[in-house]
């Protein structure tokens, strides 16, 4: 008897949960389409670093940490991998960054990640082209107003790591 009541209650709850799923208004679909378009524009704007002649600027420092060392003082640490490695993580350490701005991280000019750096330690995933053998350039950029543009660069740092098979 308890089992039948429980089954009936679950069935009724399911009906109520899914009853609103089929109905939608044009207004809600329009706003979701605008939100999707906005996020697509932001993603496409950040896919590569904006063209510009950047120099180290802004407050704070950032460096990469790997099993082969760190990028502090201009060092280029070696990351061991093989040609069939799919993903590898390295550390990214920031000190004195403005935590109110997002930091865009580019590897060899291509967007790799977006993180909120301040006085923090996190990781950066290396995959695909960023795991090919050779030296790779990492650029960390914060933009004023979070608008991705060479005219809005507030902080710029660059470093390198090397992949060896």
């Amino acid at each position: 008897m308890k089992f039948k009541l429980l089954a009936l209650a679950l069935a009724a709850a399911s009906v109520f949960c899914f009853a609103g799923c089929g109905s939608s208004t044009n207004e809600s679909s329009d706003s979701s389409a605008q939100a999707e378009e906005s996020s697509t524009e932001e993603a496409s704007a950040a896919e590569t670093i904006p063209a510009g002649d950047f120099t180290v600027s802004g407050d704070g420092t950032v460096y990469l940490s790997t099993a082969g060392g760190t990028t502090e003082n201009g060092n280029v640490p070696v990351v061991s991998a093989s040609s069939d490695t799919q993903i590898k993580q390295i550390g990214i350490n920031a000190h004195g960054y403005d935590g109110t701005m997002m930091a865009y991280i580019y590897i060899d000019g291509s967007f790799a990640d977006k993180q909120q750096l301040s006085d923090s330690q996190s990781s950066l995933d290396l995959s695909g082209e960023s795991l090919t053998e050779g030296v790779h350039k990492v650029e960390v950029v914060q933009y004023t107003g979070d608008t991705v543009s060479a005219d809005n660069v507030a902080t710029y740092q660059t470093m390198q790591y090397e992949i060896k098979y």
Side-chain angles (χ1 to χ4, degrees):
M1 181 70 175
K2 287 183 182 179
F3 179 73
K4 288 182 181 179
L5 287 175
L6 181 61
L8 182 60
L10 287 173
S14 296
V15 169
F16 288 121
C17 287
F18 293 114
C21 290
S23 65
S24 66
T25 64
N26 286 342
E27 185 178 313
S28 66
S29 63
D30 286 346
S31 63
S32 65
Q34 289 173 344
E36 184 178 315
E37 183 179 315
S38 170
S39 66
T40 302
E41 287 174 6
E42 180 180 331
S44 64
E47 285 182 22
T48 58
I49 193 165
D53 196 15
F54 302 114
T55 58
V56 174
S57 62
D59 294 330
T61 58
V62 64
Y63 66 92
L64 302 175
S65 58
T66 73
T70 70
T71 59
E72 291 176 298
N73 300 319
N75 295 330
V76 180
V78 173
V79 178
S80 297
S82 64
S83 60
D84 62 346
T85 301
Q86 297 294 312
I87 192 165
K88 190 108 176 165
Q89 286 189 327
I90 59 175
I92 185 164
N93 305 282
H95 301 287
Y97 261 67
D98 183 348
T100 64
M101 293 188 283
M102 292 301 294
Y104 292 76
I105 303 167
Y106 301 91
I107 300 176
D108 297 330
S110 296
F111 177 77
D113 200 5
K114 183 166 92 169
Q115 296 184 15
Q116 194 118 19
L117 300 176
S118 58
D119 291 317
S120 58
Q121 296 177 334
S122 61
S123 62
L124 180 62
D125 292 339
L126 305 179
S127 62
E129 291 295 314
S130 63
L131 273 175
T132 58
E133 194 168 29
V135 176
H136 298 273
K137 181 179 182 179
V138 177
E139 297 167 284
V140 179
V141 184
Q142 287 183 311
Y143 301 97
T144 56
D146 285 336
T147 302
V148 178
S149 166
D151 297 329
N152 295 335
V153 173
T155 304
Y156 176 83
Q157 300 282 319
T158 184
M159 62 222 82
Q160 296 179 326
Y161 66 90
E162 182 177 5
I163 298 288
K164 281 196 178 179
Y165 295 157

